[in-house]
Amino acid sequence: IGGICGYDTGGNILECYAEPTISLGGGSGYAGGICGIMTGTQAYKCATGGNITASTSGTSYTGGICALSQSAVLYNSLSTTNLRTEADSGYTGGICGFASEANVQNTYSTGTIIAASQVAAGGICGFAENGFIMQNVALNPAINGGVSIGSIVGDADLCAIYDNYYSEKLLINGTHLQGSNISGTAKTLAALRSMDFYTRPLVSGGQLGWDADTWKPGTGGYAFPHLSGVFGMERLTMPKYK
C-alpha cells in the first residue's frame, strides 16, 4: 500500500506529495507514504504527511516514504508522517522501513514513531543493509519501543552510514540519549532551523551541502526546509518537542 503507488519497479517517482491515512492489517504487509515497495526505483523530491498504522500477525514494513526499498535511490525527500507498528515483527523508519542495497540521501523526517517490542525502528530507516545512508536528518520528536532502535537507523548490516544528524530534542524511549552507535550527530534545534546548516556547500565548510535550488526556507511558522516546486508544502506543521 502506498500514498502514490503500491509497487514500483524501475520507475521514477518525482515531485510527489501524499497525505494518506493507512491502516495495514492481516498477515505480513508493506505500507509507505509514497510507495509500498520500490525495486530499482528513483524517488526524488517526494514529501508525505498523514498517519500509517500497522497491526499485523506477521512481519510489517512501514516507512514515511517507502516501506521496502531494494536497489533504489531515495533522494531529496521529507516525511512528516506519524508511524505506529503493532506487528509481531517488522521494520519501521521515518523515511524507509527496510533499505536493501539502496541509497537514502538528503532526506529528513519529523513524524513520531511508535513500534512494538519486536520491530526495528529508526528516524530514517528501520533496517539498512549493503547500501548508503548519508546526509540525512532525524527531526522526530520521539521514537518509542522497538527491539532495536536508533536516531538514524534501528539496525544495519554492511551498510555505509555517515554524515547524518538528529535533533537533540529527540526522545528515544523517553530519554534524550543516542539509541545506538549508528545514530549520527546531535544538533540543537536552533542549528536545525537554519537553512545554512542544510544548504551551505561542503567546500565552504557546510555540513550537509543540500542543493539550494531544491530546498527552500520553510514558511508559515514551519522552521525546516521546504521542497521547491512540490505541492503541499504549505500544509507542513512543526512537530511538538518536549
Side-chain angles (χ1 to χ4, degrees):
I1 302 174
I4 298 294
C5 65
Y7 194 118
D8 181 85
T9 300
N12 296 305
I13 305 175
L14 309 176
E15 296 184 345
C16 292
Y17 177 82
E19 197 172 327
T21 297
I22 297 174
S23 295
L24 181 68
S28 300
Y30 307 83
I34 294 292
C35 189
I37 299 175
M38 301 193 315
T39 302
T41 304
Q42 293 189 59
Y44 176 76
K45 289 181 72 173
C46 293
T48 60
N51 299 277
I52 297 175
T53 301
S55 301
T56 65
S57 59
T59 302
S60 74
Y61 299 75
T62 57
I65 299 292
C66 67
L68 175 64
S69 177
Q70 296 178 315
S71 302
V73 176
L74 211 169
Y75 188 65
N76 280 352
S77 295
L78 68 92
S79 174
T80 66
T81 302
N82 298 309
L83 304 166
R84 178 185 288 269
T85 303
E86 300 170 352
D88 289 352
S89 64
Y91 310 90
T92 185
I95 296 295
C96 182
F98 194 111
S100 179
E101 298 183 354
N103 179 8
V104 180
Q105 184 177 3
N106 294 20
T107 73
Y108 75 79
S109 65
T110 70
T112 294
I113 300 172
I114 300 174
S117 60
Q118 298 303 311
V119 175
I124 300 299
C125 290
F127 188 90
E129 63 179 9
N130 300 312
F132 297 89
I133 311 296
M134 54 190 179
Q135 296 171 318
N136 304 287
V137 187
L139 297 168
N140 318 78
I143 305 175
N144 295 318
V147 64
S148 56
I149 187 170
S151 303
I152 300 300
V153 176
D155 200 1
D157 182 33
L158 300 177
C159 188
I161 303 171
Y162 57 89
D163 293 341
N164 299 291
Y165 299 88
Y166 70 95
S167 165
E168 66 174 7
K169 288 290 187 179
L170 169 58
L171 285 168
I172 292 183
N173 285 334
T175 63
H176 291 110
L177 297 175
Q178 292 186 357
S180 70
N181 63 346
I182 49 178
S183 289
T185 302
K187 287 290 180 180
T188 66
L189 276 180
L192 294 170
R193 288 188 174 108
S194 169
M195 282 301 297
D196 185 70
F197 171 77
Y198 301 92
T199 59
R200 186 177 182 184
L202 298 178
V203 294
S204 301
Q207 299 187 68
L208 288 171
W210 293 1
D211 180 24
D213 291 329
T214 298
W215 296 95
K216 299 298 183 182
T219 58
Y222 187 81
F224 303 131
H226 282 180
L227 286 166
S228 64
V230 176
F231 171 85
M233 294 296 95
E234 72 283 355
R235 299 173 63 87
L236 300 180
T237 59
M238 286 291 291
K240 296 180 180 179
Y241 296 101
K242 294 183 179 179

